[in-house]
Amino acid sequence: MKKLLIIGYVWPEPNSSAAGRRMMQLIHFFHGQSYHITFASPAQQTDHMVDLSALNIAIENISLNCTSFDDFITKLQPDTVMFDRFMMEEQFGWRVSEFCPQALRILDTEDLFCLRNGRHQAYKQKRDLSDEDLLTSELAKREVASIFRSDISLMISSVEVALLQRLFKVDASLIHYCPFMLSEAQLSQENPSYDQRKDFMVIGNFRHAPNWDAVLWLKQQIWPLIRKQLPNAKLNVYGAYPPAKATDLHDEKSGFLVKGWVDDAVLAMQSAKVCLAPLRFGAGIKGKLAEAMYCATPSVTTDIGAESMQTDLHWPGAIANEPQAIADAAVKLYQNELAWQSASDLGQKNAQLMYQQETILAELADRFTQLEANLSSHRQTNFIGSMLNHHHHKSTQYMAQWIDVKTQLKVFTESDS
């Protein structure tokens, strides 16, 4: 049986974030490919993390800048290693290369962190993100270098695939487009009708800056415009890890109801009449909007929210970027059953076109099979990656070894005293 090591930036929480659900989709894919899976992470375990051991997945707590990882991976000798976000490749990639050189190295980007961060900074400066911003970004240099060093990078957004190829000259052989995956059961599920639903909803992990900004924008500008037209409407605000500043926004009088954690996000989405996702910055594709599609819940979002999620069909709801336009679109969908039904039907059609699990997984399996069969030649043609592995990993290695020695000396000194 082949062995897979996943090095996680965090432990997967599928009920807390789209990233957590995405990770579980990939884990189930590798299970289906008959891999024995070990999930390792330097992060602290949480109450909301999935029970990996119940899925027959071994778990390992690992430390940054510590030679204990060398012993661990030497003993494990995985056939494939998947890094969860580029920071984990930076930390552990050189150790994988040194102690397990034959392993296929996969980078799961989730979304381009440099793009998300760049848009956030540009938004705070009240301007658009430029190519120059990205080309001079330290984060972009780190992240794109990690992509070059990896054998293959999984990209969730077609827009980000195009950006990597156009701006950073990343060869197509190093990238694989792999969006969210929805099962046939999800794509064909029965959903409540217009009359069976009520209220608006917004959902998103509060630790994710674009989600928190969207909630604030709703509270301060958009929701008052909706309530002006619908005085009895309610907005249910869901999301993991709400801080005090978020729960303080709860206001029964205005119908702005901060409910925080929800045990069943799908049921919450199915119960809502309209999903609001007014995102002003961010990257990747949005799990909440994919969920809205297969739950047949019309959504109102922005150009950023809908990025890389549109088909030749109309958006299943509305795309608008100004408070009044967002509010008017939301009210129309809420009040007009014909408009609501049309958007509801489009949601499931769009999801069928973009996220069919069977097709996406077949393409992913084929790509990995080709890579495994031609790994040596694949690496030889990636000269930039080979060069970056040589130089960057050496510098990271020496820094990590210095920190490790310093830590050991500190422990030795303390025990001696």
Side-chain angles (χ1 to χ4, degrees):
M1 181 179 286
K2 293 186 293 186
K3 290 183 284 188
L4 167 71
L5 170 64
I6 301 174
I7 303 178
Y9 180 66
V10 295
W11 296 95
E13 295 185 12
N15 292 328
S16 297
S17 69
R21 291 190 290 278
R22 155 78 162 193
M23 177 54 71
M24 294 311 300
Q25 289 174 349
L26 292 173
I27 284 173
H28 289 307
F29 161 74
F30 282 109
H31 256 318
Q33 298 294 305
S34 300
Y35 275 87
H36 180 272
I37 303 173
T38 299
F39 195 103
S41 177
Q44 184 176 353
Q45 296 189 21
T46 69
D47 293 336
H48 297 313
M49 64 179 280
V50 71
D51 185 358
L52 294 171
S53 58
L55 300 173
N56 198 31
I57 296 170
I59 61 172
E60 187 79 20
N61 293 293
I62 54 178
S63 299
L64 302 175
N65 303 306
C66 183
T67 55
S68 61
F69 181 84
D70 304 345
D71 298 330
F72 160 65
I73 197 166
T74 299
K75 182 178 179 181
L76 183 64
Q77 284 298 301
D79 301 279
T80 301
V81 177
M82 185 168 73
F83 303 100
D84 171 26
R85 286 164 261 205
F86 82 93
M87 295 80 85
M88 293 298 94
E89 190 279 336
E90 278 188 330
Q91 286 286 338
F92 297 100
W94 71 268
R95 295 183 185 274
V96 172
S97 295
E98 181 168 344
F99 296 99
C100 197
Q102 84 292 345
L104 176 67
R105 299 191 298 271
I106 302 168
L107 173 61
D108 182 33
T109 61
E110 297 294 345
D111 57 40
L112 278 180
F113 191 85
C114 64
L115 180 61
R116 186 206 315 167
N117 183 73
R119 283 175 170 167
H120 192 182
Q121 299 308 313
Y123 164 72
K124 290 191 286 188
Q125 296 167 15
K126 296 182 170 55
R127 62 179 182 83
D128 293 330
L129 180 70
S130 69
D131 283 355
E132 184 180 358
D133 292 326
L134 289 172
L135 289 170
T136 57
S137 162
E138 180 184 346
L139 272 175
K141 291 170 185 174
R142 290 171 55 196
E143 188 166 25
V144 175
S146 182
I147 289 170
F148 272 109
R149 287 192 300 265
S150 302
D151 295 316
I152 193 75
S153 291
L154 304 184
M155 306 302 303
I156 205 164
S157 162
S158 59
V159 168
E160 293 176 9
V161 169
L163 177 69
L164 287 173
Q165 293 179 299
R166 176 186 66 82
L167 189 61
F168 300 111
K169 312 306 179 188
V170 178
D171 194 84
S173 65
L174 299 176
I175 310 169
H176 184 79
Y177 172 57
C178 182
F180 291 134
M181 296 167 266
L182 299 177
S183 67
E184 187 57 38
Q186 291 171 307
L187 291 169
S188 60
Q189 69 182 15
E190 290 291 326
N191 290 295
S193 66
Y194 175 84
D195 291 331
Q196 293 172 312
R197 300 173 182 245
K198 64 177 183 178
D199 301 337
F200 294 88
M201 73 168 291
V202 59
I203 189 167
N205 190 316
F206 281 94
R207 290 179 175 174
H208 191 51
N211 293 334
W212 169 235
D213 176 76
V215 170
L216 277 179
W217 198 23
L218 278 164
K219 175 68 174 180
Q220 295 167 356
Q221 296 187 49
I222 300 169
W223 186 244
L225 296 173
I226 293 175
R227 281 281 287 198
K228 187 176 181 180
Q229 299 181 63
L230 300 172
N232 297 316
K234 294 179 181 179
L235 172 62
N236 296 310
V237 182
Y238 301 110
Y241 303 107
K245 63 182 180 180
T247 54
D248 286 346
L249 299 179
H250 184 90
D251 181 18
E252 295 277 352
K253 185 177 180 181
S254 69
F256 196 91
L257 311 178
V258 181
K259 297 191 173 181
W261 173 267
V262 59
D263 289 327
D264 192 334
V266 171
L267 180 59
M269 185 67 74
Q270 287 179 310
S271 302
K273 195 159 281 187
V274 177
C275 172
L276 302 177
L279 298 160
R280 291 189 280 192
F281 55 91
I285 59 176
K286 314 304 178 291
K288 60 180 76 53
L289 293 174
E291 206 163 69
M293 287 180 188
Y294 78 81
C295 288
T297 305
S299 60
V300 182
T301 190
T302 59
D303 285 328
I304 287 288
E307 184 176 85
S308 195
M309 299 189 72
Q310 294 176 265
T311 69
D312 292 335
L313 303 176
H314 291 296
W315 182 259
I319 299 173
N321 297 292
E322 299 300 328
Q324 190 64 63
I326 293 170
D328 291 345
V331 169
K332 180 180 178 181
L333 287 166
Y334 197 86
Q335 286 187 314
N336 188 321
E337 185 174 354
L338 287 177
W340 184 93
Q341 191 62 59
S342 176
S344 177
D345 293 341
L346 279 170
Q348 290 184 304
K349 291 176 182 177
N350 276 307
Q352 284 274 0
L353 287 172
M354 289 186 288
Y355 306 128
Q356 283 197 13
Q357 179 175 281
E358 185 176 350
T359 301
I360 295 168
L361 291 184
E363 292 174 351
L364 189 61
D366 286 345
R367 190 66 183 273
F368 287 160
T369 298
Q370 292 171 16
L371 273 173
E372 289 165 356
N374 302 284
L375 189 56
S376 179
S377 60
H378 175 77
R379 288 177 175 173
Q380 286 176 5
T381 58
N382 179 20
F383 178 78
I384 293 177
S386 177
M387 177 178 63
L388 289 170
N389 267 309
H390 175 77
H391 291 290
H392 179 82
H393 283 178
K394 284 297 181 185
S395 61
T396 306
Q397 173 185 352
Y398 296 144
M399 177 59 74
Q401 288 173 341
W402 178 81
I403 293 172
D404 186 38
V405 170
K406 185 179 177 182
T407 302
Q408 291 180 31
L409 285 173
K410 182 180 178 182
V411 172
F412 178 78
T413 304
E414 289 175 350
S415 62
D416 190 51
S417 60

